[in-house]
Amino acid sequence: MHGGHSPYPGVHSGYGWGVPQPMPSNGMGTTSLVLGIIAAVLFCLWPVAIVLGILALVFGVIGRRRAGRGEATNPGQALAGIICGAVGLLLGIGFAVLIFALPDDNDEDPYFGTDDYSTSLVVEQAR
């Protein structure tokens, strides 16, 4: 070993500093988890929950792939983002189906022709 170089990256031979390792890129897994939690909590705003759930799934899958390649150190966070995103997506879709599938019994005006009393202020006068 000449000049303080080691045949193994990241291991120094006692001379100088070792080769710095790149920082893990954990942003995708963290983003997935945050978006998944927001989607699950805000499922009543179903369009927002559906979009955020899809984004959480996409970012979670990318984060898991990066963790599998060793570029990230948070595969559990990415998995939690996938799970929360899927729950938020399913709750948002379920809420949308619930809104549009339930029959609306209030198609009629409740104040039109339902009783025998006139709502007019016109009063007939006796002659």
Side-chain angles (χ1 to χ4, degrees):
M1 287 195 259
H2 301 292
H5 296 286
S6 172
Y8 304 106
V11 177
H12 61 83
S13 63
Y15 301 104
W17 298 96
V19 178
Q21 295 295 321
M23 294 294 294
S25 59
N26 291 332
M28 290 293 179
T30 304
T31 302
S32 172
L33 182 60
V34 169
L35 291 177
I37 290 171
I38 293 172
V41 170
L42 297 179
F43 73 93
C44 291
L45 300 173
W46 59 269
V48 174
I50 290 172
V51 170
L52 293 181
I54 292 171
L55 289 174
L57 289 173
V58 169
F59 287 139
V61 168
I62 293 171
R64 291 283 289 183
R65 287 185 182 159
R66 282 189 179 178
R69 290 190 305 257
E71 298 173 6
T73 59
N74 62 347
Q77 216 174 24
L79 179 61
I82 291 171
I83 293 169
C84 290
V87 168
L89 178 65
L90 291 175
L91 286 173
I93 290 172
F95 198 75
V97 167
L98 185 69
I99 288 174
F100 291 115
L102 287 179
D104 187 18
D105 294 336
N106 296 329
D107 289 338
E108 296 180 5
D109 185 3
Y111 301 107
F112 181 75
T114 57
D115 57 6
D116 293 332
Y117 300 104
S118 173
T119 58
S120 173
L121 296 176
V122 177
V123 178
E124 293 183 24
Q125 293 180 353
R127 293 183 193 213

